[in-house]
Amino acid sequence: DAMVIQNPRYQVTQFGKPVTLSCSQTLNHNVMYWYQQKSSQAPKLLFHYYDKDFNNEADTPDNFQSRRPNTSFCFLDIRSPGLGDAAMYLCATSSGLAGVHTQYFGPGTRLTVL
Amino acid sequence: QQQVKQSPQSLIVQKGGISIINCAYENTAFDYFPWYQQFPGKGPALLIAIRPDVSEKKEGRFTISFNKSAKQFSLHIMDSQPGDSATYFCAASMNPGNTGKLIFGQGTTLQVKP
């Protein structure tokens, strides 16, 4: 089945220790998004790629970076995780076709910062 | 103007009852209004979506009612079941550059009592 896959599902890191979260998709979608979701809150968009074009949200901290080496994969790098970065990180994709807005979400990676 | 306001924050319904969640928006440029369902520890999943050229869309027990003049839309869950217990997010989107960025409401936690 075509899908959005996130690895790992659970990640524990230490305060200040860099961490990388992975997302892959078999939908061949042009657009990939990274969201941060804290408990009892809506997902918050961090950034997205349209093909190789990177689009950062204005309020996304510099501590968060992303890479998209090819259509299928996208990575979220947190350079120096703080306690406030503990959250669920969601990857999503959409086709990028005109008028087609549907986003498909992965299962998320739960990040714990010790 | 980019906000989507969702209510209520939480909702308790008896099995077999009707669950109603409301959302309101300001930006008339929005042209796509999806509802996402999220179970604990999972990513959001698209439930149903509507465009502003129709006033109602029904899929099984789930119905979206859309009032363009009032800039409001709502989700109705008929014959609510305990398995419907989840968090529901409304969202709105417009499609500049084909990226379909979603603006989420704050979420509603639904509990269906058996």
Side-chain angles (χ1 to χ4, degrees), chain B residues 45-85:
Chain B
L46 179 67
L47 192 62
I48 187 172
I50 199 168
R51 293 193 182 274
D53 53 347
V54 298
S55 60
E56 186 175 282
K57 183 174 181 180
K58 184 176 181 179
E59 290 183 1
R61 296 184 295 109
F62 301 92
T63 299
I64 299 179
S65 296
F66 188 85
N67 186 330
K68 188 174 181 178
S69 60
K71 291 185 283 187
Q72 295 176 347
F73 58 110
S74 60
L75 176 69
H76 296 235
I77 306 174
M78 312 300 287
D79 187 26
S80 299
Q81 299 296 313
D84 296 330
S85 298

Side-chain angles (χ1 to χ4, degrees), chain A residues 31-34 45-57 66 68 74 92, chain B residues 96-101:
Chain A
V31 192
M32 295 187 77
Y33 309 81
W34 279 105
L45 182 64
L46 296 173
F47 26 59
H48 73 273
Y49 277 93
Y50 185 86
D51 285 338
K52 291 187 180 297
D53 292 334
F54 177 72
N55 297 273
N56 199 31
E57 292 299 299
S66 186
R68 188 178 186 187
C74 196
Chain B
N98 295 340
T99 58
K101 177 178 171 179

